[in-house]
Amino acid sequence: MKWSQVTDEEIRNKIQQIVDEGAHRLVNPEQIQKDMLELIKIRKESGMDYIPWSPIDLARGYSGFCVMFGALDKANPQGGWDSIGHSYLQKIQRVIMKEGIREFSLWTGLAGIIIAARALSRDGTRYDNFIKELNSFFIKSFPSMMQYMESKLEQGISLKEFDVIQGLSGIGRYVLCFIEEQDMRLAMEQIITYLIKLCEDKEYKGAVVPGWYVSPDRYAGYESEEYPNGHFNCGMSHGIPGVLALMSIALMKGVEVSGQREAIHKIAQWIMKWKVNDEFGPLWPARISWEENLEGISKNVVPREAWCYGGPGVARALWLSGIAVNNEEWKSVALETFRGTAMRPETKWNIESDTFCHGRAGLLQMVQRMYSESGDELIGELRNKLLEQVLDLWNPEKLYGYQEKESSDKQNIAGLLDGAAGVFTVLIGLIQEQDTDWDLIFLIS
């Protein structure tokens, strides 16, 4: 895909300086683990929510750092980043030998580990045996995994069957990296076939609804209180836009099965139906309740300019689908969404974190992609503005220089998904001549 690098020499130097200093804080896997376990301990003792530490995860674990070091190695092959990444990959290998692999997911399992090795492989010239061995394990386990997934279609799906983080949208994006291998291509076709089935209408409580409706017995916690009768998830990280992005990217890469184009149209038109406009541009709800679906109106939709939930993530999926099936309307709405972000006051953005998942770094990466591919001047101005903000957020007094924040709760997290590593990986990409595909894990490329 097209790529428009940052050309201002002063800004390029500042990016390089911050990335060099920041990434060197992340070179010790033992210290990263110690820091994360300490953070978890503090949060447990304070009665706060926490995510358990898993060393092999792409989200916060060692696999994510491999992606970052792979990007740094591409930018500077003589910088020694490949050796640091190698030490992380060795750590992952030891964990696998000791504990095995418990799941196949992109962000918390096998798929993420293989993506990590691929990132460090210097375009497939390294770690060939390691990658082949893990791909072979995936292919051998694939039939039983799909049998389990099929059973969930019968019983009633939850988000983790089809989303980007744990489900088939994320797993499928890993598989797409290896479709030159016949077994992997066949697996990809089966994944798409499953997702086409997911898109078929079903009946619930006397109403006909899209198959990605999630009933209330498939989730817990605050969602049970807010959505006692079920919901439809509209976020890129956990909802149907991730499925749309995967099907569209697969189509662009030459993988097509019967019903795929129809499923793309169905999802995209459903997303278009739930678009709400404020004075600046399109918005989408994070979730649509059962009641809202029956009434055909989503209430109290507010902007959120993030990857995981909000307009930019949804719009990026629409953009990709518009390219895949040559639909100018969807592409136009995607551009309007990013132009709306540019015009909307920052006080209405509803993002506080520095990081990728629901922060400024993730928005910057999506805006960079949209600017590079569209050439839209207003989106280009937004890219430059966001870059300036992210550079200004750098605080060398903080543990990793950048912080994760939700509500008023700031955390020092090192990892790729919602930590400093994700910010550094976004930044280094902005000063490269060519597009690097590291962000495929977010299904935005």
Side-chain angles (χ1 to χ4, degrees):
M1 288 181 164
K2 296 178 182 176
W3 192 253
S4 299
Q5 65 175 319
V6 173
T7 56
D8 183 283
E9 204 59 38
E10 185 178 342
I11 295 175
R12 288 173 65 89
N13 289 337
K14 188 172 183 181
I15 290 172
Q16 192 68 62
Q17 178 187 347
I18 288 173
V19 170
D20 282 344
E21 182 179 343
H24 275 104
R25 299 183 183 200
L26 306 176
V27 299
N28 187 332
E30 289 83 5
Q31 187 61 48
I32 296 292
Q33 176 167 289
K34 182 180 176 184
D35 291 344
M36 285 305 303
L37 292 175
E38 181 62 25
L39 173 66
I40 290 168
K41 179 172 176 283
I42 291 168
R43 293 183 71 80
K44 283 174 75 173
E45 290 173 351
S46 303
M48 293 187 284
D49 292 337
Y50 67 93
I51 297 173
W53 166 250
S54 173
I56 64 171
D57 282 6
L58 191 62
R60 292 184 173 182
Y62 298 151
S63 293
F65 297 102
C66 291
V67 171
M68 182 192 74
F69 289 123
L72 293 172
D73 181 52
K74 275 190 176 181
N76 179 16
Q78 284 76 48
W81 299 112
D82 57 335
S83 296
I84 299 167
H86 180 70
S87 70
Y88 271 87
L89 208 54
Q90 286 179 313
K91 283 279 187 184
I92 292 168
Q93 192 172 28
R94 290 189 199 110
V95 173
I96 293 172
M97 291 173 69
K98 183 179 178 182
E99 301 177 10
I101 299 172
R102 297 188 184 93
E103 56 181 290
F104 299 101
S105 73
L106 178 59
W107 284 94
T108 56
L110 174 67
I113 296 168
I114 300 170
I115 288 293
R118 177 182 178 271
L120 288 167
S121 72
R122 291 199 172 178
D123 296 321
T125 62
R126 295 177 174 179
Y127 306 116
D128 184 54
N129 288 338
F130 183 63
I131 291 170
K132 281 182 176 176
E133 189 176 337
L134 291 180
N135 278 344
S136 176
F137 175 72
F138 172 78
I139 288 298
K140 286 176 183 173
S141 307
F142 184 74
S144 59
M145 181 189 80
M146 291 307 295
Q147 189 176 11
Y148 169 82
M149 293 293 188
E150 292 283 352
S151 73
K152 291 298 179 182
L153 270 184
E154 307 261 332
Q155 300 164 14
I157 50 103
S158 65
L159 298 176
K160 67 181 181 180
E161 274 85 69
F162 68 86
D163 74 1
V164 171
I165 302 298
Q166 290 182 286
L168 283 174
S169 294
I171 294 169
R173 190 62 190 91
Y174 137 69
V175 175
L176 267 177
C177 295
F178 299 95
I179 53 168
E180 71 279 1
E181 299 171 24
Q182 185 64 19
D183 286 345
M184 295 295 269
R185 189 178 188 91
L186 290 172
M188 189 68 234
E189 290 173 356
Q190 288 182 56
I191 288 171
I192 294 173
T193 299
Y194 175 92
L195 294 173
I196 291 168
K197 288 182 189 175
L198 171 77
C199 293
E200 293 173 359
D201 288 344
K202 61 186 179 184
E203 189 172 326
Y204 188 80
K205 290 186 176 179
V208 176
V209 296
W212 54 87
Y213 164 74
V214 179
S215 59
D217 58 329
R218 298 300 170 189
Y219 54 82
Y222 78 93
E223 284 190 336
S224 295
E225 297 174 13
E226 289 194 32
Y227 302 96
N229 295 307
H231 66 70
F232 306 80
N233 194 293
C234 296
M236 184 65 150
S237 58
H238 293 294
I240 200 63
V243 175
L244 177 62
L246 178 68
M247 285 190 177
S248 302
I249 295 165
L251 194 60
M252 286 188 272
K253 288 184 173 291
V255 180
E256 181 174 1
V257 302
S258 177
Q260 185 174 341
R261 289 176 183 267
E262 291 81 0
I264 288 172
H265 276 87
K266 181 173 185 174
I267 299 170
Q269 289 303 127
W270 185 87
I271 288 172
M272 292 284 285
K273 172 187 171 183
W274 291 102
K275 173 174 68 72
V276 176
N277 281 66
D278 68 1
E279 59 191 296
F280 305 104
L283 309 170
W284 278 272
R287 299 166 187 83
I288 294 162
S289 70
W290 173 259
E291 293 77 12
E292 288 172 326
N293 180 68
L294 291 179
E295 294 168 15
I297 299 172
S298 185
K299 300 166 186 173
N300 305 316
V301 181
V302 296
R304 192 180 187 192
E305 312 292 357
W307 169 75
C308 54
Y309 287 98
V314 176
R316 182 63 187 170
L318 268 183
W319 174 263
L320 292 170
S321 63
I323 293 172
V325 301
N326 195 27
N327 188 303
E328 293 300 321
E329 182 189 9
W330 302 343
K331 290 169 65 180
S332 177
V333 168
L335 284 176
E336 287 172 23
T337 304
F338 281 90
R339 289 174 63 85
T341 302
M343 294 184 283
R344 193 171 289 115
E346 289 174 50
T347 53
K348 295 187 175 184
W349 281 8
N350 283 314
I351 52 171
E352 299 179 277
S353 180
D354 305 345
T355 58
F356 199 111
C357 183
H358 42 262
R360 273 178 165 73
L363 179 58
L364 173 57
Q365 184 70 11
M366 290 186 290
V367 168
Q368 165 67 9
R369 286 239 167 245
M370 293 300 294
Y371 171 54
S372 296
E373 293 164 30
S374 71
D376 187 282
E377 290 185 9
L378 185 58
I379 297 175
E381 291 171 13
L382 176 60
R383 191 278 303 266
N384 295 337
K385 174 183 173 182
L386 278 165
L387 174 56
E388 184 179 342
Q389 290 176 356
V390 171
L391 294 177
D392 287 344
L393 285 168
W394 166 254
N395 183 350
E397 300 301 313
K398 301 302 179 184
L399 183 60
Y400 305 119
Y402 288 106
Q403 290 186 301
E404 159 72 348
K405 184 181 179 184
E406 277 196 280
S407 302
S408 59
D409 182 22
K410 283 191 174 183
Q411 300 178 67
N412 292 311
I413 295 172
L416 189 71
L417 180 62
D418 57 357
V423 187
F424 302 138
T425 313
V426 169
L427 288 175
I428 197 63
L430 292 172
I431 56 174
Q432 306 312 306
E433 289 185 13
Q434 295 180 327
D435 169 23
T436 58
D437 68 356
W438 76 272
D439 63 354
L440 65 87
I441 51 183
F442 295 95
L443 275 84
I444 60 174
S445 69

